[in-house]
Amino acid sequence: MIDTVLIANRGEIALRIQRACRGLGLRTVAVYSEADADAAYVRQADTALCIGPAPAARSYLDQAAILFAAQTSGAGAIHPGYGFLAENAAFAERVERAGLVFVGPSAACIRAMGDKVAAKRAMRRAGVPCVPGPDEPLPADPAALRAVADGIGYPVIVKAAGGGGGRGMRVVEDPARLLDTLALTQEEARGAFGSAAVYIEKFLAHPRHVEIQVIADRHGHALWLGSRDCSLQRRNQKVIEEAPAHGIPDADVAALGERCAEACRQIGYSGAGTFEFLYDAGAFHFIEMNTRIQVEHPVTEETTGIDIVQLQLRVARGEALPLTQDQVACRGHALECRINAEDPDSFAPSPGRIDDWAVPGGFGVRVDTHAGPGYRVPPYYDSMVAKLIVRGSDRADAVERMRLALSEMRVGGIRTNLPLHRALLDDPGVRKGGVDIHYLQRWLARRAA
Ligand code: ADP
């Protein structure tokens, strides 16, 4: 029986997990770097242990320090949050070997989904629709390679099998550039991801990014919790997310959701996860699975009424899912704006002390944040300081509520992307919904010109 959970993360997600633990009567252990010593969630934890200096490699990524902290504090489980060690199969394995529970899927599942080619193969086998392209290692012979790309049809995209964070990808329009681009991407992949394995698939020109949230227990049950649209991205980083994905027939989403839940059962998946798709010309194409909680999970919580982080903890301690698929319903519409400490025009990080702080409130408004007046945004980590989430009876209602909420929000002393969000919520395309993944880049280019 688990009674204490170590939270191997920082920032808003550390606080989010702490609250979920408290709601379940679980004790919490915060581990923190010297840069986060003053964070409110560190003070609020039942136990708080400093695990190293500011650089993540010497604190939040220090597996030995985190395991030692778990052992000395009597934690029975480790929740990795997102980022840092959340999708590190070797870490999950070490946690399990230390006799602790990793709040997430098995190390084997993390490893399988971390290899995008293996993931694609497993998904195809489970009947999940994938981007056209082979799901086996590429041939070495140049003529055979050219034949693979010709078979897919140009443009194609070359992607690192072990890639992540939007890196290790290159589009090839001209067949003459294929071999060079492959070699370049392999080199980059070897350096950045420790494996030169790359693959080729069809490049979809104007897709939307649509994803399905799933949750599975350790007894073979799996549920899908609706769709999200995260097409508003800058350099592959999501900026605004919403649930459900607007304007896609319910029956199509339901059929896809069922496929995802079935894939979870087939691969023995447990915990929360997200299947990411590109949606193009009315069809879904799987690109990858994230084997962890995601930043944008609150929009699904707001539309389903399900506390996903609590469910993660409950299935990690061996409970069966407390509901069935027919009890999962999506009501209304939710939006999330990621509020970052960054220059709204240049996007340069803007760390420092927050000296003015006002968060919006009222019906249908939720702010997930670890920041507040006097909080000092450290320069060492991701720049997100808050997630502003609203729920409305439908999409138009949610958009209006978000505009109001953004007008109420004030963060002073540092620069934030609040002006960008306000401008986006005034944009006719964003207000209408259903934009493609390049919309924001085009919008920024127009603004710059
Ligand atoms: P990462 O793990 O680095 O996030 P993904 O495979 O999820 O990589 O792809 C990230 C983004 O790259 C996608 O959201 C999409 O914008 C773009 N992308 C990836 N594959 C394709 C594709 N086949 N066609 C068009 N765009 C793609």
Side-chain angles (χ1 to χ4, degrees):
M1 205 48 206
I2 300 165
D3 58 17
T4 305
V5 177
L6 181 143
I7 301 162
N9 215 301
R10 64 173 302 281
E12 71 86 20
I13 195 65
L15 177 57
R16 170 75 189 88
I17 297 165
Q18 190 179 84
R19 285 181 172 136
C21 289
R22 285 233 216 66
L24 292 171
L26 294 163
R27 291 170 46 81
T28 59
V29 180
V31 291
Y32 62 94
S33 76
E34 285 163 7
D36 287 328
D38 296 329
Y41 61 87
V42 171
R43 278 197 303 280
Q44 286 159 14
D46 294 295
T47 306
L49 297 166
C50 181
I51 49 166
R58 297 176 61 200
S59 49
Y60 298 107
L61 292 171
D62 185 340
Q63 302 185 21
I66 292 167
L67 283 165
F68 184 70
Q71 260 135 14
T72 54
S73 61
I78 297 184
H79 195 311
Y82 52 67
F84 297 125
L85 297 169
E87 289 177 299
N88 187 316
F91 178 65
E93 222 155 49
R94 283 179 77 172
V95 171
E96 286 164 18
R97 236 185 277 125
L100 306 171
V101 174
F102 181 77
V103 182
S106 65
C109 273
I110 298 174
R111 191 163 285 129
M113 295 302 117
D115 175 342
K116 291 184 183 182
V117 183
K120 205 168 161 180
R121 194 158 53 236
M123 290 309 134
R124 246 189 210 138
R125 215 179 295 132
V128 173
C130 294
V131 184
D135 49 25
E136 61 226 31
L138 290 173
D141 171 53
L145 275 172
R146 278 196 213 97
V148 168
D150 288 342
I152 297 168
Y154 286 85
V156 298
I157 181 167
V158 179
K159 299 169 73 171
R167 293 179 310 143
M169 284 182 272
R170 275 195 186 79
V171 181
V172 186
E173 314 253 3
D174 175 2
R177 310 269 343 190
L178 178 71
L179 297 181
D180 287 354
T181 308
L182 270 168
L184 204 61
T185 312
Q186 277 167 335
E187 249 343 283
E188 188 189 49
R190 197 196 316 276
F193 312 115
S195 155
V198 300
Y199 63 109
I200 308 179
E201 63 185 23
K202 178 84 188 158
F203 177 72
L204 304 167
H206 297 289
R208 287 167 63 183
H209 176 114
V210 175
E211 53 187 40
I212 299 285
Q213 172 76 54
V214 293
I215 180 90
D217 65 21
R218 298 182 174 200
H219 308 279
H221 309 297
L223 301 173
W224 63 280
L225 306 181
S227 63
R228 292 188 287 255
D229 185 316
C230 314
S231 298
L232 277 173
Q233 303 181 1
R234 179 180 166 270
R235 296 199 178 157
N236 293 320
Q237 298 290 323
K238 298 163 183 169
V239 176
I240 299 179
E241 302 105 333
E242 57 186 276
H246 179 64
I248 302 178
D250 287 347
D252 294 1
V253 173
L256 183 70
E258 287 302 330
R259 288 273 132 228
C260 295
E262 181 51 32
C264 289
R265 290 174 210 118
Q266 277 194 24
I267 63 174
Y269 192 84
S270 70
T274 299
F275 289 77
E276 295 193 333
F277 297 89
L278 295 177
Y279 180 72
D280 185 55
F284 295 99
H285 305 278
F286 172 80
I287 44 172
E288 67 163 340
M289 181 177 195
N290 291 319
T291 55
R292 53 168 165 86
I293 192 75
Q294 287 192 252
V295 174
E296 60 269 29
H297 76 274
V299 291
T300 300
E301 295 186 324
E302 293 302 317
T303 45
T304 59
I306 293 170
D307 185 325
I308 299 172
V309 182
Q310 277 201 1
L311 269 192
Q312 279 191 296
L313 291 159
R314 291 176 65 177
V315 300
R317 67 183 185 190
E319 285 181 43
L321 284 170
L323 72 175
T324 53
Q325 191 66 56
D326 56 348
Q327 293 171 304
V328 179
C330 176
R331 274 236 188 90
H333 201 94
L335 297 172
E336 173 180 280
C337 289
R338 297 189 187 194
I339 313 300
N340 297 335
E342 66 189 14
D343 186 284
D345 299 314
S346 71
F347 299 99
S350 177
R353 187 174 180 278
I354 296 176
D355 60 19
D356 183 28
W357 176 263
V359 290
F363 183 75
V365 178
R366 164 176 170 183
V367 182
D368 279 18
T369 183
H370 59 297
Y375 177 74
R376 198 172 282 282
V377 181
Y380 309 101
Y381 314 109
D382 185 90
S383 64
M384 194 173 72
V385 289
K387 304 192 301 205
L388 174 53
I389 304 125
V390 302
R391 176 168 40 83
S393 56
D394 57 19
R395 191 172 185 280
D397 189 36
V399 166
E400 285 319 309
R401 185 155 293 143
M402 182 60 93
R403 286 176 95 187
L404 191 63
L406 285 166
S407 75
E408 285 180 23
M409 186 151 186
R410 225 174 47 235
V411 183
I414 57 168
R415 271 159 293 155
T416 72
N417 61 352
L418 275 167
L420 173 73
H421 283 300
R422 291 187 188 115
L424 283 174
L425 266 288
D426 279 341
D427 175 77
V430 172
R431 294 173 65 79
K432 182 158 163 278
V435 301
D436 72 54
I437 56 174
H438 307 297
Y439 188 86
L440 180 53
Q441 288 294 149
R442 290 195 300 269
W443 187 92
L444 290 168
R446 271 203 313 277
R447 188 182 70 170

